[in-house]
Amino acid sequence: MSSRTAAFLFAPSAVIVWYGIIWIGHLAPTVLPPPHLVVALMAQEWQFLLWNTYVTLTTAVTGYFFANVVAISMAIAFLYSDALKSLATPWVVVLKNLPIISVASLLIISFGDSPVPRILVVILICFHPILANLIKGFEQVDPNLISRFQTLHASRFQLFRYVLWPNALPYYAAAHEVAFTSSIVAAVLAEFFFSRQGLGFMLTQAMNDYRGDRLWATNIIIATLSAAALGLSVLAERVLIPWRSKGSKRFGKPRS
Amino acid sequence: MRALSTTGVEAPELNVSSTPAVKASSVSKSFAGSLVIEGINLTVEQGEFIALIGASGCGKTTLLRMCAGLEQPSSGLIEIFGKPPAAATSAHEIGVAFQRPALVPCRTALENVRLTLKITGSDDAMDPLAVLTHFGLEEALNLYPHELSGGMQQRVNIACALVHQPALLLLDEPFGALDEITRERLVDWLAGILRESSRTTILVTHSVEEAVTLSTRVFVMSRRPGRIAAEIKVPLPTIRDFEIRQSEQFLGLVRSARDALHSALAD
Ligand SMILES: Nc1ncnc2c1ncn2[C@@H]1O[C@H](COP(=O)(O)OP(=O)(O)OP(=O)(O)O)[C@@H](O)[C@H]1O
Ligand SMILES: [Mg+2]
């Protein structure tokens, strides 16, 4: 079976499993609302849901954009300055390994109830996979290729433009599969703790109100957004690096 | 163009009065304290074709890399056309084909060759399309490196090394992954274009026949640390057609080169 068929089968089989669990466990709608109730709620509250989806998406995309700017600038700076790389590495390691919740609480204290801390949370979560992959992409260039360009007396810029950057592109594209999906998760997470709007905020509200149907509706939206983010990154990969997706994947694709 | 020898025995005439293309004076190289190349003295006149043979790991690639300015000798001096190698590369006088093809993965065969020209900005260049067609790659012009076979990659690699018409060509086992027929065709073609120009070539190879077919002198290197163990002059006419390659003289040269290689390995 092709992976495409399997993907199409996913939604109907999820519905069947969902009904099956309710039927086997004799679960009340308050414990696990059946799909048709969730769909009914989505139809009823679609404006509210759409607005909150918009809020979350704005946070995720803005944060993601800046995560890319930060990661690309850092990777290029590290490429040309070992000193900078050594100086920055402890910072990167600490930032990456701090529990995001604790960093987020610090941010909310400093920035208050504004979009800034939420966007910062998205940046913090997303920049690292992009940075790590770009660094790897720059490091994994065939040394003979660099040597050959040196014998042609290529300038630093030419070496970057024609050798280093194209070589890092597949790694960069692979990073999006991880990082773009986590931007949605990060935005929801930030809203969950520090917001009065957005899908994350909806989750907390639905939990407080014991509204299983709203909780499920929100979760379905989040899952759809993450899947769409993944789909977009795969598409972007195809556009960014046609020389890999074209024909056979003899060398596979780099791990993220 | 040099005059063809009529008797079929004289060595091609060389303009020895000019600056040598490559001059290595007691060059040694060690990596992390272990000696790889020891006291190599080598003078290659302009227009010469030198073949370098020797056991695996004896420092042939290292010697070529030093000539291309990619590696510094630990002691001794290398001069290319009377200048330091770095000056020769900035004048785009050097073309290198590495042992393993070094192609830009996101560019097709043709784009790779064109990129070389773009970097060097040579006005006296060959037509990339013609070179690749000559190499039997007309079907593969628009394929990406990962879509090419190993032998096809090597041919694109050689095309990249010589398309900008460098005065010094450094070829590191460029025919390794080729089948017998393609190899012979390429050797003939290479011999042809090199004859027509005043280009100097250093060819590293594992094939003694290839060395004798192409070169004016064959150098045999000893085991690591690499030294020049023997030099065999090849006084054959510049055009070495099938008949010459069957001649007693040719076979005798191959035999003596092989003997020199064996005794270099026995030491
Ligand atoms: N950058 C390096 N660092 C450390 N050792 C090196 C380096 N480059 C080469 N060597 C060592 O130098 C020796 C000679 O290497 P080189 O590649 O010049 O051999 P070669 O004659 O080209 O061999 P082959 O015929 O297998 O290509 C080897 O023992 C190798 O391990
Ligand atoms: Mg070698």
Side-chain angles (χ1 to χ4, degrees):
Chain A
M1 192 192 301
S2 78
S3 57
R4 187 166 293 205
T5 327
F8 275 122
L9 280 178
F10 170 74
S13 38
V15 172
I16 292 170
V17 169
W18 193 340
Y19 275 120
I21 291 172
I22 293 174
W23 183 70
I24 293 167
H26 301 288
L27 299 177
T30 45
V31 179
L32 181 58
H36 60 269
L37 284 187
V38 175
V39 171
L41 177 107
M42 284 170 114
Q44 196 189 333
E45 297 190 349
W46 67 271
Q47 277 179 312
F48 182 59
L49 288 168
L50 201 63
W51 161 250
N52 283 297
T53 305
Y54 169 75
V55 170
T56 303
L57 266 183
T58 313
T59 309
V61 170
T62 314
Y64 194 60
F65 172 76
F66 286 111
N68 274 277
V69 172
V70 171
I72 293 174
S73 327
M74 283 172 84
I76 295 176
F78 291 177
L79 185 61
Y80 292 107
S81 166
D82 284 338
L84 206 61
K85 187 174 184 180
S86 327
L87 278 176
T89 303
W91 290 81
V92 173
V93 170
V94 167
L95 277 179
K96 194 214 159 217
N97 291 307
L98 274 181
I100 197 67
I101 299 296
S102 62
V103 183
S105 357
L106 299 178
L107 292 174
I108 193 85
I109 293 275
S110 308
F111 292 97
D113 185 15
S114 74
V116 177
R118 294 194 285 277
I119 290 171
L120 283 174
V121 168
V122 176
I123 297 177
L124 274 180
I125 291 187
C126 295
F127 93 97
H128 192 264
I130 305 176
L131 176 65
N133 264 30
L134 277 176
I135 290 178
K136 201 165 164 191
F138 290 144
E139 282 172 355
Q140 304 266 314
V141 181
D142 176 4
N144 275 335
L145 191 54
I146 297 183
S147 291
R148 186 160 77 78
F149 273 67
Q150 282 170 346
T151 63
L152 299 174
H153 199 60
S155 68
R156 270 184 163 197
F157 173 73
Q158 284 173 326
L159 198 61
F160 182 81
R161 156 105 175 65
Y162 297 118
V163 179
L164 292 162
W165 181 247
N167 198 76
L169 258 184
Y171 294 83
Y172 180 56
H176 288 310
E177 279 181 33
V178 180
F180 196 31
T181 332
S182 8
S183 76
I184 308 280
V185 178
V188 170
L189 185 91
E191 288 163 354
F192 191 85
F193 290 97
F194 323 101
S195 182
R196 312 224 170 283
Q197 52 187 3
L199 293 173
F201 173 67
M202 280 193 68
L203 288 178
T204 57
Q205 288 303 98
M207 263 162 60
N208 289 341
D209 301 346
Y210 276 92
R211 286 294 298 271
D213 48 355
R214 205 177 273 157
L215 209 50
W216 276 93
T218 313
N219 271 306
I220 288 172
I221 294 174
I222 296 172
T224 312
L225 289 182
S226 297
L230 184 62
L232 265 182
S233 354
V234 173
L235 197 70
E237 187 169 353
R238 241 173 252 173
V239 175
L240 277 176
I241 44 168
W243 68 93
R244 282 219 181 228
S245 24
K246 195 184 145 210
S248 65
K249 296 211 168 173
R250 250 155 117 171
F251 293 139
K253 92 185 147 185
R255 294 259 75 93
S256 57
Chain B
M1 201 195 279
R2 272 179 251 121
L4 296 183
S5 155
T6 41
T7 55
V9 283
E10 284 127 277
E13 292 212 13
L14 292 168
N15 185 4
V16 281
S17 63
S18 61
T19 348
V22 178
K23 189 165 195 302
S25 325
S26 34
V27 168
S28 299
K29 176 73 183 172
S30 37
F31 286 110
S34 97
L35 200 58
V36 168
I37 282 178
E38 191 180 25
I40 284 195
N41 286 302
L42 181 68
T43 303
V44 182
E45 301 302 336
Q46 292 189 31
E48 262 197 299
F49 195 122
I50 294 295
L52 204 56
I53 55 179
S56 179
C58 73
K60 304 181 292 296
T61 300
T62 308
L63 184 60
L64 284 198
R65 286 181 61 87
M66 287 193 292
C67 291
L70 295 164
E71 218 78 69
Q72 296 304 316
S74 306
S75 67
L77 184 71
I78 293 193
E79 281 181 321
I80 308 294
F81 301 113
K83 307 178 290 258
T89 51
S90 50
H92 305 303
E93 286 174 337
I94 300 184
V96 189
F98 289 102
Q99 208 164 350
R100 255 179 301 148
L103 303 172
V104 178
C106 64
R107 284 172 190 263
T108 62
L110 185 58
E111 286 168 353
N112 260 287
V113 182
R114 286 200 172 131
L115 183 59
T116 308
L117 289 184
K118 194 169 176 177
I119 303 281
T120 54
S122 320
D123 26 306
D124 172 40
M126 300 189 213
D127 174 16
L129 208 63
V131 176
L132 287 174
T133 308
H134 239 326
F135 280 12
L137 289 170
E138 53 277 81
E139 310 280 313
L141 295 175
N142 297 315
L143 295 183
Y144 290 102
H146 76 271
E147 296 170 320
L148 300 170
S149 73
M152 288 161 127
Q153 288 178 13
Q154 277 197 322
R155 280 178 276 168
V156 179
N157 195 42
I158 303 172
C160 286
L162 52 76
V163 69
H164 59 292
Q165 301 262 42
L168 174 63
L169 196 55
L170 306 174
L171 303 173
D172 198 352
E173 294 179 40
F175 308 123
L178 299 178
D179 65 276
E180 192 72 26
I181 304 290
T182 316
R183 198 180 168 109
E184 269 174 25
R185 248 185 70 192
L186 268 194
V187 168
D188 282 347
W189 187 77
L190 199 62
I193 58 157
L194 295 177
R195 232 179 357 253
E196 287 164 14
S197 63
S198 58
R199 192 177 288 102
T200 312
T201 308
I202 301 185
L203 170 80
V204 170
T205 177
H206 279 299
S207 157
V208 177
E209 277 89 1
E210 202 170 281
V212 177
T213 305
L214 282 164
S215 69
T216 47
R217 283 188 290 163
V218 179
F219 286 93
V220 181
M221 280 177 77
S222 69
R223 269 192 201 288
R224 181 180 170 173
R227 281 169 280 106
I228 302 288
E231 176 192 336
I232 292 117
K233 290 202 167 62
V234 185
L236 292 171
T238 36
I239 297 182
R240 294 162 193 180
D241 53 22
F242 184 74
E243 218 166 292
I244 289 178
R245 277 185 252 168
Q246 299 300 311
S247 69
E248 264 315 306
Q249 191 189 11
F250 181 90
L251 297 175
L253 285 165
V254 170
R255 214 174 302 123
S256 54
R258 189 161 281 138
D259 289 345
L261 186 59
H262 279 291
S263 58
L265 294 190
D267 289 342

